[in-house]
Amino acid sequence: MSSPVSARVAAISTSPTLAVTAKAASLRAAGQPVIGFGAGEPDFPTPANIVAAAQLACADPSAHKYSATPGLGPLRDAIAAKAKADSGLAASPEQVVVANGGKQALYEVFATLLDPGDEVILAAPFWVSYPEQIAVAGGVPVVVSTDEASGFRASVEQLEEARTERTKALLFVSPCNPTGAVYDPEDVAMIGAWAASHGLWVITDEIYQHLVYGDATFASLPVVAPEAAERCVVVNGVAKTYAMTGWRVGWVIAPQDVAAGMTRLQSHLTSNVCNVAQAAALEALTGPQDAVAEMVEAFDRRRRIAVDMLRALSGVTCSEPEGAFYTFPGFHEVLGTEVRGRPVATTLDLADLLLDEAQVALVPGEAFGAPGHARISYALGEAELTEGIERIGSVLS
Ligand code: GLU
């Protein structure tokens, strides 16, 4: 019997980041001492004031009912105010649509903007779900490759080479998952100016906005390139900044017609986002921010530990990530060799080997359009982080 699954869904793969995370969790549940570098989520609990706000909302009968599809009024107000305060972005609450996590927000943007065959330019290494979401929405992902030498940043020249008459949008991500690359504000401005000069839409994923380290500076594309603002959709959420991955609250700030289109779509998909989670997100944005600073400090410390340890491993390269909570080391010298009697031709082989021999789970670069590398999340405790990298070292030495 032929598969009942549509061609559209048959063409996409399971999210490799979630698959690695689930595999590590099930091995741990089976008693194996697996260290999971796969999960792109903070190990911290959600700050107590946010949890308390959710508990209050649970007891409020108005939270038990359907609410407005694009989000609770006070939350949309808070999102607009926070974008102004943190990024300098002037937007009205009517431009805000709250969705079930940044992931759903992104999918709804692609579905709202793209007609069949519309091309979206994005830089590799890219987050695993972007090309799949673009394809499911009927678009065509057009990938521009970047490497360690360029700090994993795409230039305007590269983007221009990828542009065709079918290009509808640029997907711009800084800080970047999986590389941690952060574009300088001047480069963000140049990229925005280029997009505007060709009438392209820009979808900019700012989910790691607050996780920036050292001298790096976050810049919001529609702020530093105001000429791009009328065709720009900003995606953000509470997951990474406030250790709220499981609460599933993300949003877009979009021109009003796009926000209205997304709202129509969402009205048929999920209606409103869970009201309790929205109340928690409201507290996250408007309550004390001290926990954010503490988490950023911890990530920065772990970042430096991870980079130093990875650079000390033979055959491993590691550029310095300036944002998010990932390192993206290169294993090019290891490929083509035999390790512990097993041929390692690809970073997929390497990931399998490290899981078997070191009980360390990482996400191979193939998942991000960058074979030869692997992603190591440093959003885990320092003792585990150190031991995990030591285990990798002992297998590779
Ligand atoms: N964005 C995170 C990651 O890259 C969460 C998992 C996912 O949804 O892919 O690991």
Side-chain angles (χ1 to χ4, degrees):
M1 206 169 73
S2 65
S3 166
V5 174
S6 69
R8 200 176 56 252
V9 170
I12 58 173
S13 55
T14 300
S15 164
T17 46
L18 297 188
V20 169
T21 307
K23 188 163 181 186
S26 79
L27 289 171
R28 261 197 306 269
Q32 293 197 33
V34 170
I35 293 181
F37 285 132
E41 67 177 346
D43 56 321
F44 302 106
T46 302
N49 61 308
I50 299 173
V51 176
Q55 283 166 332
L56 275 181
C58 268
D60 175 357
S62 73
H64 306 169
K65 306 291 182 196
Y66 290 128
S67 59
T69 300
L72 297 175
L75 178 58
R76 294 169 83 201
D77 292 347
I79 289 167
K82 187 97 168 115
K84 179 76 186 147
D86 292 351
S87 315
L89 180 67
S92 73
E94 290 71 42
Q95 291 176 256
V96 175
V97 182
V98 181
N100 284 282
K103 196 179 251 181
Q104 186 181 359
L106 276 160
Y107 174 70
E108 289 180 0
V109 175
F110 295 132
T112 301
L113 283 179
L114 301 180
D115 281 314
D118 281 348
E119 294 177 359
V120 180
I121 299 174
L122 72 162
F126 46 70
W127 176 51
V128 297
S129 293
Y130 295 138
E132 308 295 73
Q133 291 198 344
I134 292 166
V136 173
V140 179
V142 175
V143 174
V144 166
S145 291
T146 68
D147 56 19
E148 262 179 348
S150 64
F152 295 114
R153 294 178 193 89
S155 64
V156 166
E157 291 69 33
Q158 282 180 294
L159 299 176
E160 177 58 19
E161 253 175 55
R163 189 175 64 83
T164 73
E165 54 192 27
R166 289 308 312 263
T167 307
K168 174 80 180 259
L170 166 73
L171 174 57
F172 179 75
V173 189
S174 172
C176 171
N177 171 5
T179 63
V182 178
Y183 286 70
D184 291 334
E186 301 74 45
D187 293 337
V188 181
M190 274 184 347
I191 289 171
W194 165 80
S197 73
H198 296 291
L200 302 183
W201 280 84
V202 180
I203 300 143
T204 178
D205 186 347
E206 300 186 346
I207 195 81
Y208 295 100
Q209 162 175 15
H210 296 288
L211 306 186
V212 171
Y213 316 105
D215 295 335
T217 312
F218 167 80
S220 182
L221 187 143
V223 175
V224 293
E227 62 273 50
E230 64 179 23
R231 286 201 176 95
C232 185
V233 181
V234 174
V235 179
N236 211 325
V238 288
K240 314 293 183 180
T241 311
Y242 299 97
M244 291 179 71
T245 48
W247 298 78
R248 309 312 300 139
V249 182
W251 56 79
V252 303
I253 300 177
Q256 293 231 3
D257 45 358
V258 176
M262 264 188 71
T263 304
R264 284 201 300 281
L265 177 62
Q266 187 163 294
S267 77
H268 295 292
L269 296 180
T270 58
S271 312
N272 60 277
V273 172
C274 166
N275 294 317
V276 171
Q278 291 195 69
L282 177 60
E283 172 63 19
L285 297 186
T286 57
Q289 301 293 305
D290 326 11
V292 177
E294 283 163 25
M295 289 190 278
V296 171
E297 209 184 299
F299 289 140
D300 189 18
R301 205 170 43 245
R302 297 167 186 183
R303 172 184 77 109
R304 284 180 275 117
I305 292 170
V307 170
D308 288 348
M309 288 185 73
L310 286 164
R311 283 181 177 165
L313 301 184
S314 88
V316 178
T317 54
C318 187
S319 64
E320 178 152 345
E322 296 183 305
F325 37 56
Y326 310 106
T327 56
F328 201 59
F331 293 91
H332 298 94
E333 283 183 29
V334 177
L335 302 187
T337 67
E338 273 200 6
V339 179
R340 299 220 171 151
R342 283 167 59 164
V344 179
T346 65
T347 25
L348 292 166
D349 296 339
L350 180 68
D352 284 343
L353 175 87
L354 290 174
L355 191 55
D356 294 345
E357 297 284 328
Q359 288 167 319
V360 165
L362 40 70
V363 190
E366 283 81 352
F368 307 97
H373 290 263
R375 191 185 78 175
I376 290 182
S377 162
Y378 51 85
L380 76 176
E382 269 171 48
E384 268 199 305
L385 177 68
T386 313
E387 184 181 336
I389 300 177
E390 277 168 4
R391 287 194 204 170
I392 295 174
S394 70
V395 170
L396 296 185
S397 62

